[in-house]
Amino acid sequence: QKEVEQNSGPLSVPEGAIASLNCTYSDRVSQSFFWYRQYSGKSPELIMSIYSNGDKEDGRFTAQLNKASQYVSLLIRDSQPSDSATYLCAVNDYGQNFVFGPGTRLSVLP
Amino acid sequence: DAMVIQNPRYQVTQFGKPVTLSCSQTLNHNVMYWYQQKSSQAPKLLFHYYDKDFNNEADTPDNFQSRRPNTSFCFLDIRSPGLGDTAMYLCATSRDQTSGGSDTQYFGPGTRLTVL
């Protein structure tokens, strides 16, 4: 049974701080990793995808992947109240299936 | 803009009354998915189509059926909705690459279903 785990939160950070979201996965053959943001009542929206070990930066977002440790993280710099949402980690293993974690609820306090 | 469209956005039905949700995509992706998401939970995969090949998850109730008449459209049929089927239903698409694996999933806006 493939599993993706995340801290459910809520994770609270002050405005302007760095928010750090973590995700671990159980399947060593996983190859593709995704972070989605989901606002309450809305559908998931892709923020970042990462396929290789190391860091990938896009604006205020940085994804970090360590396949040896089976760990992927998302850093949000200069957090804004509009970043308050649930962040879903998803993993794909070269098939068509994507396994989602339970999500971490982030609250950015003004 | 290429996108994933779901209709209706909101649906209220009565216990036991069949309902059909639709999804269309202009991305020309060969894989389409249906997820059920209940409040404060992760999306739960119901089934997916890889081209015309239907793949059912083992724990998807028989009450849920799907049709994909062509590349662009996919339908979710709930034959006899129960109160526990109240949820957001998400359609997603991806492109499965012959070199291995599916590319990113793109989600539609979802249909919020309420069963009374």
Side-chain angles (χ1 to χ4, degrees), chain A residues 36-95:
Chain A
Y36 288 86
R37 177 175 62 197
Q38 188 173 27
Y39 292 114
S40 180
K42 303 293 186 184
S43 65
E45 171 193 9
L46 180 71
I47 298 177
M48 296 277 285
S49 59
I50 186 166
Y51 305 96
S52 304
N53 281 327
D55 294 359
K56 179 181 178 182
E57 187 175 317
D58 184 0
R60 294 187 297 113
F61 300 96
T62 299
Q64 298 174 319
L65 175 61
N66 183 326
K67 290 186 179 180
S69 300
Q70 296 176 237
Y71 173 91
V72 58
S73 67
L74 179 70
L75 299 178
I76 307 174
R77 290 181 299 281
D78 189 22
S79 295
Q80 301 297 309
S82 59
D83 295 326
S84 297
T86 295
Y87 289 81
L88 297 165
C89 173
V91 172
N92 175 259
D93 63 354
Y94 267 0

Side-chain angles (χ1 to χ4, degrees), chain B residues 4-25:
Chain B
V4 182
I5 301 165
Q6 291 187 244
N7 284 300
R9 296 291 308 278
Y10 302 90
Q11 176 75 56
V12 179
T13 192
Q14 291 181 332
F15 181 93
K17 186 174 181 180
V19 66
T20 294
L21 310 182
S22 74
C23 177
S24 63
Q25 54 124 344

Side-chain angles (χ1 to χ4, degrees), chain B:
Chain B
D1 289 339
M3 56 175 50
V4 182
I5 301 165
Q6 291 187 244
N7 284 300
R9 296 291 308 278
Y10 302 90
Q11 176 75 56
V12 179
T13 192
Q14 291 181 332
F15 181 93
K17 186 174 181 180
V19 66
T20 294
L21 310 182
S22 74
C23 177
S24 63
Q25 54 124 344
T26 60
L27 297 160
N28 202 32
H29 283 172
N30 53 359
V31 189
M32 294 187 76
Y33 307 79
W34 280 105
Y35 289 88
Q36 178 192 65
Q37 187 177 29
K38 296 186 178 180
S39 182
S40 301
Q41 296 183 20
K44 177 182 181 297
L45 181 65
L46 295 174
F47 25 60
H48 76 276
Y49 276 93
Y50 179 19
D51 291 324
K52 289 186 179 294
D53 292 334
F54 177 69
N55 299 272
N56 196 30
E57 292 300 297
D59 57 353
T60 298
D62 292 340
N63 196 28
F64 291 84
Q65 303 286 317
S66 185
R67 297 169 282 137
R68 189 180 186 186
N70 54 53
T71 299
S72 301
F73 284 87
C74 196
F75 299 95
L76 170 61
D77 300 308
I78 308 176
R79 292 190 297 187
S80 182
L83 301 180
D85 297 329
T86 292
M88 173 83 89
Y89 290 86
L90 297 164
C91 175
T93 72
S94 71
R95 181 186 62 209
D96 193 81
Q97 304 170 94
T98 54
S99 60
S102 281
D103 207 334
T104 308
Q105 271 190 329
Y106 294 91
F107 284 87
T111 294
R112 183 169 295 281
L113 176 68
T114 302
V115 182
L116 300 176

